[in-house]
Amino acid sequence: MEKKEKTGIFQLENGNWGYRYSITVDGELRTGRRTKDNSGKPFKTEKQATRARSKAIALEQMNVKRKKKVERKTFADVYKEYCETGRSGKAYSTIRKQDSLWRNHIKERFGKKYIDEITVAEITDYLSMLYYEEGRAYGYVEGFLRFFYLVFGQAYARDYLDIDTYNKLCVNKDTKIHMPKMKVDEETDVITFSKEEMRQLDEYFCGTNAETAYLIGKYCGLRINECYGLKWSDIDLDAGTMKVERQMQYQEGMIKLVSLKTRNARRTMYLAPPLKEYLKRLYLRKLECEEAFAAQRQQNQIFIEDVNGKAVSCLELVNTLENGKRQTINSMKYHSKEVRRRTGIKFKYHYLRHTYGTALAELNTPAHILCNQMGHGSNRVTQQYYIAVSKRGIDTLQSNLEEL
């Protein structure tokens, strides 16, 4: 037996609540009655039912209006429109990645299809094919998923998709497109170097043309593009700080200093004493070289476009050789191969970042501080360093077990 409380809201015998409505929108009669939310949970209070009713009516009104305006567009039409109007301000690397996915993969498969005829199953099967059959990395396939969400969002915003179709594709957790189940052997671990490996790396890089970049990666955990984008004006040796405000990238075949990918990546690093002392010595050596190798430095210097569009001499960069020759993000490639040949260590510059983050986490650095130093947008990403299983962590665990 329903107990009527107010228009459209009623209470059931079991104490739960429900709602009903009957409205006319643009000449169309729309009715509905619910006693549970979209997840199948009952409305426990009158307030919940009232809110749900208001939301349902708003969706009905929006749905009717949108259906009257829907214009059919192909997937290619929507992506072209997004490129023209929807991605101003996006990082160059993001634009390049989107265009690569479109040109090399998605265009042929989905370009000519109407955006409103593409199904969830069709995309889910495509993602599974990329991951299981073609053997693409899980993180790489996630890029495809984000691409589809982006294009469907653009289509919905431009009234090329009705609300029901958009919700089915991108919103409803039970139906929306999703990633395939991750393989058991997928590599998702944070890879770090052990103390012995770091000792060998210290020994290898000492005196090489990549020593400065190596030490910055070791003691600051910078991304390689951030490291090679550093200028001497970013470093305050008295305060022991380093500002990360730009990154080096290849754009259209040219080296440029460009904006960081995210706002959180812009940060002030605090220098570890060994790095601070090294940079002091390096700066004094730089002043000596400005006199000793003046002619060579003048001949070897090149000018690079800075983040503000103005030209900056490579002599202002921290990673520049004594004779004035610039160092770039490609300068580390030779050393990665040589380290592997000499020591057997699989060296990637980004693993220095992992090692830095994990070491600080193991030393109980507050999560919000580590998040700031890593340049992450949220603690969720930073947490991976706190849960990473490293040699130091295992040693601590074994020591604790002995105390039980």
Side-chain angles (χ1 to χ4, degrees):
M1 184 73 178
E2 299 174 358
K3 179 183 175 183
K4 189 171 182 180
E5 297 295 325
K6 61 181 181 180
T7 303
I9 305 298
F10 55 84
Q11 188 174 25
L12 304 173
E13 285 186 346
N14 60 10
N16 294 331
W17 292 79
Y19 69 81
R20 65 169 64 87
Y21 60 84
S22 178
I23 60 173
T24 301
V25 183
D26 289 346
E28 287 191 27
L29 178 64
R30 313 291 290 184
T31 62
R33 182 183 183 281
R34 298 291 295 272
T35 58
K36 295 180 180 180
D37 63 18
N38 291 334
S39 300
K41 297 178 180 179
F43 300 118
K44 295 290 188 180
T45 66
E46 180 183 4
K47 190 173 184 179
Q48 287 180 342
T50 303
R51 286 179 176 175
R53 181 177 185 272
S54 297
K55 184 176 180 180
I57 291 174
L59 287 174
E60 289 282 19
Q61 293 171 334
M62 189 182 303
N63 194 21
V64 170
K65 292 177 180 178
R66 281 185 177 277
K67 282 183 176 179
K68 290 182 179 296
K69 293 190 284 185
V70 167
E71 179 183 355
R72 299 200 81 191
K73 294 280 187 177
T74 65
F75 199 99
D77 292 333
V78 178
Y79 182 65
K80 179 182 179 183
E81 190 171 284
Y82 163 74
C83 293
E84 294 172 348
T85 64
R87 65 180 184 183
S88 57
K90 293 286 186 182
Y92 177 82
S93 57
T94 299
I95 293 174
R96 187 171 60 179
K97 182 177 181 180
Q98 290 172 350
D99 286 343
S100 176
L101 292 179
W102 169 250
R103 183 173 56 253
N104 299 320
H105 301 280
I106 298 173
K107 181 179 179 179
E108 181 178 356
R109 182 85 171 233
F110 295 97
K112 295 180 180 180
K113 291 179 176 291
Y114 282 110
I115 196 76
D116 58 354
E117 71 179 7
I118 299 173
T119 65
V120 172
E122 199 172 357
I123 297 174
T124 301
D125 290 345
Y126 178 63
L127 297 177
S128 295
M129 181 271 292
L130 291 171
Y131 184 51
Y132 294 124
E133 297 178 25
E134 294 191 2
R136 308 280 181 177
Y138 194 82
Y140 183 69
V141 178
E142 284 182 313
F144 284 83
L145 179 65
R146 288 191 291 270
F147 188 99
F148 284 117
Y149 277 134
L150 181 150
V151 174
F152 287 131
Q154 175 78 7
Y156 177 64
R158 300 283 175 173
D159 292 318
Y160 307 141
L161 279 180
D162 63 65
I163 190 169
D164 290 336
T165 304
Y166 176 71
N167 284 342
K168 183 183 290 186
L169 287 164
C170 302
V171 179
N172 191 311
K173 66 178 182 179
D174 295 323
T175 65
K176 68 180 181 180
I177 55 177
H178 58 273
M179 285 292 291
K181 185 176 181 180
M182 186 180 290
K183 300 173 188 174
V184 175
D185 59 349
E186 182 73 27
E187 184 180 286
T188 58
D189 294 336
V190 172
I191 300 175
T192 62
F193 297 120
S194 66
K195 285 186 177 180
E196 173 57 24
E197 288 173 328
M198 289 303 300
R199 184 194 66 75
Q200 294 182 64
L201 292 175
D202 286 344
E203 184 177 300
Y204 169 82
F205 280 102
C206 183
T208 67
N209 62 4
E211 182 178 14
T212 301
Y214 166 73
L215 291 176
I216 290 173
K218 174 182 177 180
Y219 288 114
C220 289
L222 264 61
R223 302 172 178 92
I224 191 168
N225 298 66
E226 296 172 341
C227 174
Y228 282 96
L230 286 172
K231 297 161 62 175
W232 278 108
S233 59
D234 298 325
I235 299 175
D236 187 333
L237 292 172
D238 293 328
T241 60
M242 173 191 294
K243 291 184 178 180
V244 182
E245 297 186 329
R246 61 183 61 76
Q247 61 178 331
M248 179 182 284
Q249 279 189 354
Y250 281 92
Q251 292 189 359
E252 300 168 350
M254 299 178 62
I255 298 172
K256 296 182 180 180
L257 301 180
V258 301
S259 299
L260 299 167
K261 188 170 183 179
T262 66
R263 181 180 59 187
N264 297 93
R266 186 169 183 168
R267 61 204 187 275
T268 298
M269 306 296 302
Y270 293 87
L271 305 179
L275 179 59
K276 181 178 178 180
E277 293 305 313
Y278 172 84
L279 291 175
K280 282 183 177 179
R281 296 194 301 272
L282 184 66
Y283 185 72
L284 292 176
R285 179 58 182 164
K286 170 182 175 292
L287 296 179
E288 293 174 359
C289 291
E290 286 177 354
E291 294 186 9
F293 302 108
Q296 290 183 43
R297 289 169 68 86
Q298 185 66 29
Q299 184 179 56
N300 289 329
Q301 80 167 329
I302 64 167
F303 288 87
I304 304 169
E305 183 179 316
D306 203 350
V307 67
N308 58 6
K310 296 181 179 179
V312 59
S313 169
C314 68
L315 301 180
E316 295 184 37
L317 301 178
V318 174
N319 286 285
T320 297
L321 301 182
E322 294 181 347
N323 62 6
K325 287 188 176 181
R326 74 178 190 274
Q327 296 283 281
T328 72
I329 53 181
N330 288 331
S331 302
M332 197 61 67
K333 290 183 177 179
Y334 165 79
H335 296 288
S336 296
K337 295 178 182 178
E338 195 65 9
V339 167
R340 184 75 174 266
R341 186 183 70 81
R342 293 191 190 184
T343 67
I345 298 172
K346 183 180 179 181
F347 178 80
K348 288 187 178 181
Y349 190 84
H350 204 72
Y351 293 168
L352 293 174
R353 178 173 169 81
H354 289 179
T355 305
Y356 168 84
T358 303
L360 288 185
E362 290 172 342
L363 293 171
N364 296 318
T365 303
H368 67 284
I369 297 296
L370 182 53
C371 182
N372 170 269
Q373 292 295 277
M374 299 298 292
H376 290 152
S378 70
N379 278 341
R380 183 184 61 80
V381 181
T382 308
Q383 286 299 320
Q384 65 183 317
Y385 298 107
Y386 287 90
I387 63 176
V389 179
S390 64
K391 179 63 168 59
R392 182 188 294 179
I394 294 298
D395 290 343
T396 301
L397 170 62
Q398 291 177 333
S399 176
N400 291 341
L401 290 173
E402 292 175 3
E403 298 297 323
L404 290 177

